Amino acid sequence: MTKVASNLQIDSVRLWDTIHETAKFGATPKGGVRRLTLGPEDKQVRDWFRKACEATGLEVHVDALGTMFGLRKGRDMSKAPVGLGSHLDTQPTGGKFDGVLGTLAALEVVRTLNEAGIETEAPICIVNWTNEEGSRFAPATMASAAYAGDYTTDYILSRKDAAGVSVGEALDGIGYRGTEPVAQRKLGAFVELHIEQGPLLEAENKTIGVVDRGQGITWYDGTITGFESHAGTTPMPLRRDALTALSEFVLAVERTAKAHGPNAVSTVGEAVIAAPSRNVIPGEVAFTVDVRSPDTETLAAIDKDLQAAAVEIAARRKVAMTLTAIWQKPPTIFNATLVDAVEHAAEAIGYSHRRITSGAGHDACNLANVVPAAMIFVPCKDGISHNELEDATQADCTAGANVLMHTVLALAGVAS
Ligand code: GLV
Ligand code: MN
Ligand code: MN
């Protein structure tokens, strides 16, 4: 098998330009991106991506959950394609790099291989997974989870956003409900490039994170039902205030993660009073909890503590409380051979690197259950992500894309 010299590089300026060109779809005044999955801005970026893929000679296929696949033929079409990609949806106040880098770097890899006239043995397939973020529809990473067999397509199609619109309706609304059955397109491996979204690489001045694990995640939905009454006339001892009960619970969530630290984090990211009014004691609140740890046992212990805290607070404050786990993603161990391939690519090109655990959930974590998968991280400024201030350097994005390309070449093989 032919070897490609490790000095083959992607086009850094072209990659950087595409990241900024697509950032205009959903651009926010503060310099971030708001591109909720399956909304109008997601359609714009998808249309752009489809056109760019076709112009690059890729065959574009869309599956029943809107995931986009761009296939580049290999010499041996009996081999399963090597997948590479990420997602183009963002958080409501997201940045320009989360997901975007991995998807556009995949496109850049194909453009570079085309220009260099390199044919791979196995085909390669670039992927834009639907709804990685999970902020409009839960669970997060739903399309790749369905691909991995965690959910049926019908279950995912029936998930609704806060306005009652289902995934199926939203797909039809933007014209991205494809005909290909989910998971019909078999991949031989999957590699995802992503910004780290945390502070470690920057703090240690390392360019490449070789991701060998991903944290487990539990998402909860919760409600508290107290009793609405007059803010001026209800004496303090007689109140059944849902919001003050939630306030206690939020602190219990924080305390619990700290007690199980250092490898545990927890967040109440949404809290809504049902019918808010300045002079009404809140009678009903809904909230979410996000708990993460690399250890299954820690997640189970935190679950036990949170359920106990909910029972105790509800009894003492005479409110009713529900806390339901709506999504459980076990910790991920990435494929050792692929992790080594990423490390070898970084080493061969000459980038500094370290092994790292992913704190965020990623589509590659789902793929890891059904195909050998790996991830490559690059630093982001101050470790900030899920924020419009999210930033990364052109040099680091380029380095990540180069490692992605050489990892994919090693996995797909180069035709002589
Ligand atoms: C996805 O972005 C997550 O980790 O929540
Ligand atoms: Mn992401
Ligand atoms: Mn994200």
Side-chain angles (χ1 to χ4, degrees):
M1 202 178 287
T2 316
K3 250 181 110 59
V4 168
S6 57
N7 61 4
L8 177 74
Q9 296 245 349
I10 60 103
D11 184 330
S12 172
V13 172
R14 185 170 55 195
L15 173 63
W16 197 242
D17 285 349
T18 58
I19 289 171
H20 288 87
E21 191 183 341
T22 57
K24 68 181 187 232
F25 304 121
T28 63
K30 285 189 189 160
V33 180
R34 176 186 173 87
R35 202 156 61 215
L36 296 184
T37 194
L38 308 182
E41 296 81 13
D42 191 22
K43 173 178 167 43
Q44 288 177 318
V45 78
R46 283 165 174 269
D47 290 349
W48 180 96
F49 185 65
R50 181 201 286 270
K51 253 174 89 184
C53 285
E54 284 168 355
T56 313
L58 298 171
E59 233 177 61
V60 178
H61 301 267
V62 181
D63 79 7
L65 291 176
T67 295
M68 302 172 72
F69 299 92
L71 184 70
R72 182 178 193 262
K73 292 201 164 61
R75 195 195 59 80
D76 183 352
M77 289 303 286
S78 71
K79 291 202 157 103
V82 174
L84 62 162
S86 189
H87 61 98
L88 292 172
D89 65 318
T90 77
Q91 289 287 325
T93 49
K96 294 191 195 76
F97 297 90
D98 175 357
V100 177
L101 171 62
T103 317
L104 298 184
L107 176 67
E108 178 54 40
V109 166
V110 172
R111 288 172 164 173
T112 303
L113 297 183
N114 287 354
E115 278 173 4
I118 293 171
E119 183 184 30
T120 51
E121 278 290 323
I124 69 179
C125 184
I126 75 175
V127 191
N128 169 32
W129 297 102
T130 294
N131 188 28
E132 191 277 347
E133 294 291 4
S135 40
R136 179 175 177 195
F137 300 101
T141 65
M142 55 166 50
S144 55
Y147 182 98
D150 296 348
Y151 304 104
T152 64
T153 301
D154 283 346
Y155 173 79
I156 296 299
L157 288 170
S158 71
R159 297 300 86 203
K160 291 196 166 130
D161 68 8
V165 178
S166 70
V167 169
E169 287 162 347
L171 281 167
D172 291 337
I174 63 163
Y176 271 90
R177 193 201 286 247
T179 49
E180 180 170 300
V182 171
Q184 177 181 279
R185 183 165 302 278
K186 297 289 174 228
L187 298 173
F190 184 72
V191 189
E192 180 169 359
L193 167 65
H194 208 281
I195 54 167
E196 180 199 343
Q197 308 183 275
L200 296 181
L201 293 175
E202 189 179 61
E204 293 181 13
N205 208 13
K206 295 275 198 297
T207 304
I208 297 294
V210 180
V211 186
D212 53 8
R213 293 174 147 254
Q215 293 203 103
I217 307 173
T218 309
W219 276 9
Y220 299 86
D221 276 350
T223 59
I224 300 180
T225 309
F227 193 75
E228 280 183 356
S229 65
H230 198 296
T233 60
T234 315
M236 297 308 281
L238 297 185
R239 295 175 178 221
R240 292 165 57 208
D241 183 333
L243 187 60
T244 51
L246 176 61
S247 308
E248 275 204 47
F249 186 68
V250 172
L251 293 175
V253 169
E254 181 184 56
R255 232 180 3 255
T256 306
K258 283 184 173 165
H260 290 278
N263 287 329
V265 289
S266 65
T267 308
V268 175
E270 293 180 41
V272 182
I273 300 172
S277 172
R278 185 187 297 266
N279 50 358
V280 177
I281 295 163
E284 184 128 9
V285 296
F287 61 96
T288 62
V289 187
D290 174 315
V291 178
R292 305 190 189 205
S293 169
D295 311 309
T296 307
E297 307 73 37
T298 305
L299 289 170
I302 290 176
D303 178 70
K304 211 164 144 232
D305 289 359
L306 291 184
Q307 297 294 352
V311 168
E312 191 278 319
I313 293 166
R316 183 161 40 77
R317 287 189 164 266
K318 300 190 173 53
V319 296
M321 190 156 168
T322 63
L323 184 67
T324 312
I326 59 147
W327 180 42
Q328 281 172 311
K329 168 79 192 138
T332 304
I333 309 286
F334 286 107
N335 179 280
T337 308
L338 260 70
V339 173
D340 286 348
V342 170
E343 199 162 61
H344 287 149
E347 188 69 34
I349 307 170
Y351 296 128
S352 59
H353 56 87
R354 62 160 277 173
R355 296 274 174 132
I356 195 164
T357 298
S358 173
H362 294 287
D363 295 305
C365 300
N366 294 327
L367 269 289
N369 291 337
V370 284
V371 295
M375 291 195 75
I376 302 156
F377 277 179
V378 291
C380 59
K381 190 170 185 312
D382 301 326
I384 294 172
S385 184
H386 285 191
N387 188 307
E388 290 158 286
L389 295 177
E390 182 183 275
D391 203 4
T393 67
Q394 183 177 340
D396 287 340
C397 291
T398 302
N402 281 328
V403 173
L404 177 68
M405 177 168 69
H406 285 284
T407 304
V408 166
L409 284 173
L411 298 175
V414 176
S416 42

